[in-house]
Amino acid sequence: MRKSSAAVAALMAALVAGTVTPASADAQETRGPSLSFALLGDTPYGADQRAAFPALVGAVNADPDVRFVLHAGDVKDGASTCDDARFADLAKLFGTFDDPFVLTPGDNEWTDCHRTAAGGYVPTERLDAVRTFFYPKAGHTLGRNPIGVRTQASDSRHSAYKENVLFRRQGVVFATVHVVGSENDLAPWSQLPGGDRPDLRLAEFTARKAAALDWIDTAFDTARQTNAPGVLLLMQAEPTDTPGFSEIRARITDRAKAYGKPVLLVHGDEHVYEVEPGYAGVPNLTRLETYGVTATQWLRVTVEPRSRAVFSWRPQTVPAS
């Protein structure tokens, strides 16, 4: 079943509104009291999942309730190569989603590309490639029907971070924050030919952490200014209380606590569907880890701004062919 003509018309209207100016990119989309989106992560892993992924795309495209797709990073497994040809193929694949496709990077795409099996790349060079292939036009999503989004690249202090985006739907603030596994890039690039490059690695970490902290503030400031009913933050790795993540975790928990309304922290990385209400002791903060290492399962998340919880979700399975 394809999306209804009314849904398509509404999508086209949103596209017009979302591509006029950067300021209009985070304007609220109105399609009624609720909407749903698809949530993926850590896929496709390996050749088999790559071959199965078009069926997942087909299932999402056929769901009349889905309005956009969020991917929590790791678009390949850690042992496969990080070459341009793979990135180009995956970007083209993600472009086959009918709806806007929003990706936050994972460590397998760049941080771990120092590994011999991944090609022995300097990770910062692969990060540049990730931005080239998966964010070809700053302020716009992938997908057959891309939309305009607010991007941190418009901030001169953080102009490299076009992967950090923000948009609003049904009044809810959605923001991607570039936070990855492998200790958020504190883990040494140990397999790099010639050894680790700690000065380069730590400079990357420090700059990206500063951008992440500012973008988290931007998301909550936007929510406060617009009286948003909820906030969703999407990142690849869970921000645990460890050196690579502790400041980001503290910023999220402090801002969520002060905000007081439902906050959903979405991530992947560990490959286990998991829900943790009251995350880090904050009653209105819920951690949601999506499915990983599968091209047959995904989550349909529903946003109901008038409900007490705002966010709800149901596991979905791609029908067998």
Side-chain angles (χ1 to χ4, degrees):
M1 175 179 164
R2 307 303 297 172
K3 300 188 189 301
S4 69
S5 58
V8 172
L11 177 59
M12 293 306 296
L15 291 175
V16 172
T19 57
V20 174
T21 65
S24 71
D26 64 344
Q28 181 178 358
E29 177 190 270
T30 55
R31 279 205 185 95
S34 67
L35 65 78
S36 296
F37 63 89
L39 176 60
L40 319 172
D42 299 277
T43 185
Y45 265 44
D48 289 346
Q49 287 184 29
R50 170 61 183 85
F53 201 86
L56 187 155
V57 174
V60 171
N61 286 349
D63 190 319
D65 296 325
V66 168
R67 293 293 177 263
F68 55 90
V69 181
L70 298 186
H71 193 301
D74 271 8
V75 299
K76 56 177 282 298
D77 61 54
S80 59
T81 57
C82 300
D83 58 298
D84 286 359
R86 186 181 303 278
F87 288 175
D89 171 69
L90 290 168
K92 183 177 180 181
L93 180 64
F94 298 148
T96 62
F97 281 102
D98 287 341
D99 296 302
F101 179 88
V102 179
L103 169 72
T104 190
D107 55 354
N108 287 354
E109 286 92 277
W110 68 274
T111 319
D112 297 341
C113 293
H114 67 89
R115 296 174 180 172
T116 302
Y121 292 94
V122 176
T124 48
E125 184 276 331
R126 285 295 84 191
L127 177 53
D128 289 341
V130 164
R131 288 171 173 151
T132 296
F133 285 100
F134 297 107
Y135 309 92
K137 188 175 182 181
H140 290 77
T141 69
L142 294 178
R144 287 191 176 120
N145 294 292
I147 58 170
V149 291
R150 184 176 175 183
T151 172
Q152 195 173 24
S154 62
D155 182 342
S156 60
R157 298 171 301 163
H158 306 298
S159 58
Y161 298 92
K162 57 183 178 178
E163 66 273 17
N164 286 343
V165 305
L166 182 151
F167 60 98
R168 295 177 59 227
R169 291 296 179 268
Q170 311 308 91
V172 171
V173 173
F174 295 81
T176 64
V177 186
H178 191 166
V179 177
V180 296
S182 298
E183 300 175 43
N184 204 16
D185 200 26
L186 285 186
W189 301 341
S190 57
Q191 296 181 41
L192 193 66
D196 187 24
R197 301 188 187 183
D199 291 346
L200 180 61
R201 178 170 49 78
L202 292 174
E204 187 288 319
F205 165 80
T206 300
R208 184 167 43 82
K209 180 184 70 174
L213 293 171
D214 281 357
W215 201 235
I216 291 165
D217 283 342
T218 295
F220 281 102
D221 288 347
T222 301
R224 177 178 52 81
Q225 292 162 4
T226 61
N227 195 28
V231 172
L232 184 148
L233 300 177
L234 176 70
M235 56 189 63
Q236 192 242 339
E238 178 188 353
T240 55
D241 193 12
T242 54
F245 306 103
S246 57
E247 291 180 67
I248 292 168
R249 177 187 178 93
R251 186 65 56 87
I252 292 171
T253 55
D254 288 349
R255 294 301 306 254
K257 187 181 300 183
Y259 174 59
K261 300 176 186 178
V263 178
L264 190 62
L265 175 60
V266 179
H267 71 93
D269 194 34
E270 298 165 11
H271 310 160
V272 178
Y273 166 48
E274 197 169 52
V275 181
E276 186 177 357
Y279 184 60
V282 180
N284 58 305
L285 177 60
T286 298
R287 179 178 69 86
L288 172 62
E289 181 179 358
T290 189
Y291 288 108
V293 194
T294 174
T296 61
Q297 291 180 291
W298 54 286
L299 294 176
R300 185 200 288 125
V301 183
T302 298
V303 176
E304 297 176 283
R306 299 173 186 170
S307 72
R308 182 176 180 180
V310 180
F311 304 102
S312 62
W313 49 87
R314 294 184 64 180
Q316 304 294 310
T317 300
V318 177
S321 57

